[in-house]
Amino acid sequence: MKEYSDDLIEEIKENIDIVDFIGEYVDLTRKGKEYFGKCPLHDERTGSFSVTPSKNMYYCFGCKKGGDVITFCQEHLNMSYERAVSYLCGVAGLSDEKTEISTTVRYLKKAARKKKKQQLPVTHPILDEKILNDFEHRRITKWIEEGIPQSIMEKYGVRYDKRANRIVYPVYDNDGNLINVKGRTLYDGYKDFDPPIPKYMNYYPVGDLDYLQGFCFKKDIIQQYKEIIIFESLKSVMKLDSYGQPNSVSSETSELTIFQIKTIISLHCDVVIAFDNDVSLEKILEKETIQLLMRFVNVYVVIDKNGLLGKVSDKNSPVDKGKDIWDRLYQTKIKL
């Protein structure tokens, strides 16, 4: 089947200045590295529509719509995807000829487009590292008692939020930029408060999960091991580090996003999924992103078949019961 190639799409974005293009429809004013104006996609009095030339993206903080020049043509000029690409090829002086695309590549592109429709393309703001100074350096006794050495926590920047009584740690994107701070309450009866206190919370908007927590520190290590282990939380990553196995990251949920899948595939290594024990093998296999991942790399799953982690309702990570249990679970992992 013939489609527009990814190379052509990239050429369009490289050859069309998004500021000049959108500037034909919106009066833009430069503020720092971005441009702002009144959003053409909804009625507004204040200029909440931003264009970021370094990323070839636009985003409106009012109506929450955003994207690239192709998306802009679809949203503002009411064009179909194919019409928008063909039109922009004319603007950029490029041929709009389609090329033959393999079944696998077409599946990947289709999944990516489906995800974009479901989730707004929010750009993560890069935060100043100075915000971490709002939190205290101190021994996190609770996590030390659970088996995470203080030295490992310091490596990941774990601190304490005195005002909220939370353990906090920085969240970095795949390039090492600070994009969030995440916190875990230290109140034992957090569910009993009125209103209940969330166990985990993000201090800033999350946006798309297009990163793997810890990846920016570990890309070289993962490639040396030729294997990436994926947990649901950074806490599990820290525990595995303390066991002497440094090639793990956190997906932050039990569902891998299409953006995370792309990063994983680019590593060309084996993948070991090590989600909490309440996530069954059946649940993992029914996910489209896992099916996609299996097309490109070897995928293994750590499954607790013998109840070594306790009850499913406990939602324990494969590393929560110590190194010996982890080793047994890892050695009996299942290939999908």
Side-chain angles (χ1 to χ4, degrees):
M1 180 177 178
K2 289 189 175 182
E3 294 182 9
Y4 292 120
S5 69
D6 289 339
D7 289 341
L8 176 61
I9 301 304
E10 288 304 314
E11 276 193 82
I12 289 173
K13 296 176 184 179
E14 289 171 5
N15 283 277
I16 295 178
D17 187 310
I18 192 169
V19 175
D20 289 343
F21 184 83
I22 293 180
E24 294 290 326
Y25 306 94
V26 181
D27 290 329
L28 297 173
T29 302
R30 183 171 183 170
K31 295 182 181 179
K33 296 181 180 180
E34 296 183 291
Y35 292 76
F36 287 82
K38 292 182 180 179
C39 181
L41 307 177
H42 78 290
D43 293 329
E44 65 170 7
R45 295 181 180 179
T46 58
S48 59
F49 182 86
S50 69
V51 180
T52 307
S54 63
K55 295 185 177 181
N56 283 324
M57 299 288 287
Y58 69 89
Y59 181 71
C60 177
F61 293 89
C63 66
K64 310 300 183 185
K65 292 183 178 180
D68 53 27
V69 287
I70 299 173
T71 316
F72 186 84
C73 288
Q74 292 177 273
E75 294 281 356
H76 183 56
L77 304 180
N78 298 315
M79 293 182 179
S80 67
Y81 176 79
E82 292 201 351
R83 177 71 185 94
V85 173
S86 179
Y87 170 73
L88 291 171
C89 280
V91 173
L94 302 170
S95 170
D96 64 349
E97 184 178 353
K98 295 181 179 181
T99 56
E100 195 72 28
I101 304 294
S102 70
T103 302
T104 300
V105 172
R106 188 166 65 253
Y107 185 96
L108 179 61
K109 291 175 69 177
K110 180 181 178 182
R113 288 197 295 269
K114 180 179 178 182
K115 186 62 182 178
K116 284 181 180 179
K117 289 180 181 178
Q118 294 174 341
Q119 194 170 12
L120 294 172
V122 177
T123 301
H124 300 291
I126 296 175
L127 306 176
D128 191 325
E129 295 273 348
K130 291 179 181 178
I131 65 171
L132 300 177
N133 295 331
D134 293 339
F135 311 112
E136 298 180 10
H137 286 283
R138 69 156 65 175
R139 285 175 59 82
I140 309 297
T141 305
K142 182 177 180 62
W143 281 7
I144 292 174
E145 292 173 349
E146 293 182 26
I148 305 175
Q150 183 67 27
S151 59
I152 295 289
M153 285 188 269
E154 290 175 359
K155 172 184 173 183
Y156 287 92
V158 177
R159 301 190 186 191
Y160 175 67
D161 183 350
K162 183 178 181 180
R163 288 169 296 184
N165 192 30
R166 287 185 178 276
I167 300 169
V168 296
Y169 53 83
V171 177
Y172 295 98
D173 66 16
N174 290 346
D175 295 320
N177 299 305
L178 179 65
I179 58 173
N180 212 329
V181 176
K182 193 167 185 176
R184 199 276 190 200
T185 186
L186 282 172
Y187 288 112
D188 291 330
Y190 60 91
K191 293 181 180 179
D192 299 327
F193 283 75
D194 186 16
I197 295 175
K199 183 178 182 180
Y200 282 96
M201 66 168 288
N202 291 288
Y203 283 55
Y204 297 88
V206 178
D208 292 331
L209 277 175
D210 55 358
Y211 59 90
L212 293 161
Q213 179 72 312
F215 179 80
C216 62
F217 309 121
K218 299 199 169 190
K219 183 176 181 180
D220 291 341
I221 294 172
I222 289 166
Q223 292 180 326
Q224 289 171 16
Y225 274 70
K226 296 182 179 179
E227 176 190 78
I228 182 172
I229 300 171
I230 303 173
F231 292 107
E232 289 184 44
S233 72
L234 188 66
K235 185 179 175 183
S236 296
V237 172
M238 288 189 276
K239 284 187 178 181
L240 193 64
D241 275 16
S242 73
Y243 297 164
Q245 202 165 345
N247 57 315
S248 69
V249 297
S250 165
S251 58
E252 300 294 272
T253 72
S254 60
E255 293 191 26
L256 294 171
T257 70
I258 188 64
F259 310 109
Q260 292 171 329
I261 290 292
K262 286 183 176 181
T263 298
I264 296 165
I265 290 173
S266 71
L267 297 171
H268 305 291
C269 68
D270 290 347
V271 178
V272 178
I273 296 171
F275 291 159
D276 294 354
N277 69 331
D278 64 316
V279 182
S280 67
L281 179 61
E282 291 72 25
K283 284 184 180 179
I284 292 172
L285 280 170
E286 70 185 17
K287 302 299 181 184
E288 281 189 9
T289 48
I290 298 299
Q291 294 295 326
L292 174 60
L293 188 60
M294 290 165 58
R295 291 170 174 254
F296 292 90
V297 295
N298 294 321
V299 181
Y300 300 83
V301 179
V302 172
I303 293 293
D304 180 23
K305 295 180 289 186
N306 300 313
L308 300 175
L309 296 173
K311 296 180 295 183
V312 171
S313 58
D314 292 337
K315 299 183 179 181
N316 283 321
S317 165
V319 290
D320 281 351
K321 296 296 184 179
K323 185 177 184 302
D324 289 342
I325 297 296
W326 160 256
D327 288 340
R328 290 171 63 182
L329 293 171
Y330 176 76
Q331 288 164 11
T332 57
K333 60 185 178 293
I334 298 170
K335 184 177 181 181
L336 300 184

